[in-house]
Amino acid sequence: MSTAKALNTNELIFEEKCLHKPPLEELQEVLQSILTKNFANVTVKVAECPNLKTSEYGLMDVGLGGCPTLLELGGAPYLLPTVQKDKLYDIKDICRKCMGEGGKILAVGAGAGPYPLRNTNCEGIFNLSISAQDEIENGSYTAKVTGLQEDCLLEPIPDTETRCALLLNLYVCRGEPGPVLKITCKKRTGHMNFIECIRKGLYEKYQDKCDLDLRLQHFHSFSRANWGGHYHYDTTPDTVEYEAYFHVAERIVRVDKPKTTHKFGRD
């Protein structure tokens, strides 16, 4: 395992912007209309967030409430023309600086895994809690393709590992209970995937532009059956089912934005 050090968080540039936050009840109606155009069966409702720490959901805290924040770190431009391996970040330190001293933190999202841990490129499926005393409880995984059969190898990230590489998209909050949007969709009838349908529909409604060189769509997931990685699309539209819980961020924090950019690798 490589001992490569993460960049000094205090030397990274942090940019922040407040976001428009429509009421959940308004978003319920908007999303119901959007998703019905792409799925045969759609239910969107405002509900109390279930306990997301149970084994059914697998997150490291109970809810999605408390200073809901989007955090984008690095970016796809650091992949080209060659991988910038020095772009190694400490998630704990960056989340703490983003959320301020004291208070617990839940951070979930998608990014490039800590390549020094696996000695290779890998997907990072991040899911960790940070206590008020900065103690880590890590439910994150890496996923990579391995062997001649190109099998998926899903491996847990230990509590002692808080690095990621190159790029990261996180939802960060205090992990508090409270109301959320619960969405269920079945049988895809349109050409857009679940996340794309929501994203494009919300943009059409609200037209918010952050001008922070963002990756607008990025989702990783894992299963208990040794599968994990980047979500692109579903392949069984007639039988696919989605269940999702969403909260609305109040602000976005952009960290170490690339100075030279492009649109490669943004899906």
Side-chain angles (χ1 to χ4, degrees):
M1 181 178 72
S2 170
T3 58
K5 291 185 178 180
L7 295 169
N8 186 335
T9 296
N10 291 324
E11 295 178 357
L12 302 176
I13 296 175
F14 281 62
E15 302 173 70
E16 182 175 333
K17 181 177 180 179
C18 293
L19 297 174
H20 173 54
K21 188 179 180 183
L24 292 180
E25 291 76 14
E26 177 182 324
L27 287 171
Q28 175 188 3
E29 296 181 5
V30 172
L31 291 174
Q32 182 75 41
S33 176
I34 291 169
L35 289 163
T36 299
K37 298 174 184 178
N38 206 62
F39 292 89
N41 301 295
V42 177
T43 302
V44 182
K45 62 182 180 180
V46 179
E48 284 298 309
C49 188
N51 182 351
L52 299 177
K53 201 171 181 179
T54 63
S55 60
E56 180 180 1
Y57 301 104
L59 295 192
M60 302 311 292
D61 213 331
V62 298
L64 300 175
C67 195
T69 299
L70 298 179
L71 192 158
E72 178 154 346
L73 171 62
Y78 292 147
L79 289 164
L80 296 174
T82 58
V83 175
Q84 298 184 35
K85 292 185 178 181
D86 62 309
K87 294 298 183 180
L88 195 63
Y89 306 101
D90 190 308
I91 299 173
K92 183 187 77 169
D93 289 352
I94 288 172
C95 286
R96 179 55 70 195
K97 184 171 181 178
C98 171
M99 299 294 280
E101 295 299 321
K104 64 175 183 172
I105 299 170
L106 171 67
V108 293
Y115 71 84
L117 179 67
R118 306 299 184 213
N119 291 316
T120 187
N121 177 51
C122 54
E123 298 279 31
I125 305 137
F126 294 101
N127 170 28
L128 64 153
S129 65
I130 307 169
S131 73
Q133 295 74 38
D134 279 347
E135 296 169 338
I136 299 294
E137 191 175 3
N138 210 337
S140 305
Y141 290 88
T142 60
K144 63 181 181 180
V145 174
T146 185
L148 295 177
Q149 301 300 317
E150 296 188 342
D151 295 322
C152 177
L153 179 61
L154 187 70
E155 299 175 282
I157 298 177
D159 292 347
T160 53
E161 178 60 82
T162 59
R163 295 172 296 178
C164 73
L166 297 168
L167 53 90
L168 180 66
N169 295 89
L170 286 181
Y171 175 82
V172 185
C173 66
R174 297 296 183 190
E176 298 172 355
V180 293
L181 285 169
K182 178 181 179 181
I183 300 176
T184 56
C185 294
K186 299 179 182 180
K187 191 177 182 181
R188 180 170 54 81
T189 55
H191 68 277
M192 288 187 287
N193 69 46
F194 178 65
I195 298 172
E196 179 187 19
C197 181
I198 292 174
R199 176 176 63 82
K200 289 185 175 180
L202 289 176
Y203 179 77
E204 184 178 336
K205 172 68 176 179
Y206 296 106
Q207 298 282 314
D208 189 22
K209 295 183 179 180
C210 287
D211 193 29
L212 291 173
D213 191 30
L214 303 174
R215 183 171 186 166
L216 299 179
Q217 188 167 317
H218 197 193
F219 180 72
H220 290 180
S221 64
F222 68 92
S223 78
R224 306 297 184 187
N226 198 44
W227 289 101
H230 183 103
Y231 169 83
H232 290 278
Y233 211 67
D234 61 73
T235 58
T236 55
D238 290 339
T239 58
V240 70
E241 298 184 19
Y242 293 94
E243 179 178 314
Y245 298 88
F246 290 104
H247 202 8
V248 186
E250 301 171 342
R251 61 187 181 127
I252 185 165
V253 177
R254 188 70 171 94
V255 183
D256 197 31
K257 181 177 69 176
K259 294 179 181 179
T260 302
T261 191
H262 54 67
K263 296 301 180 184
F264 176 80
R266 301 300 179 101
D267 65 339

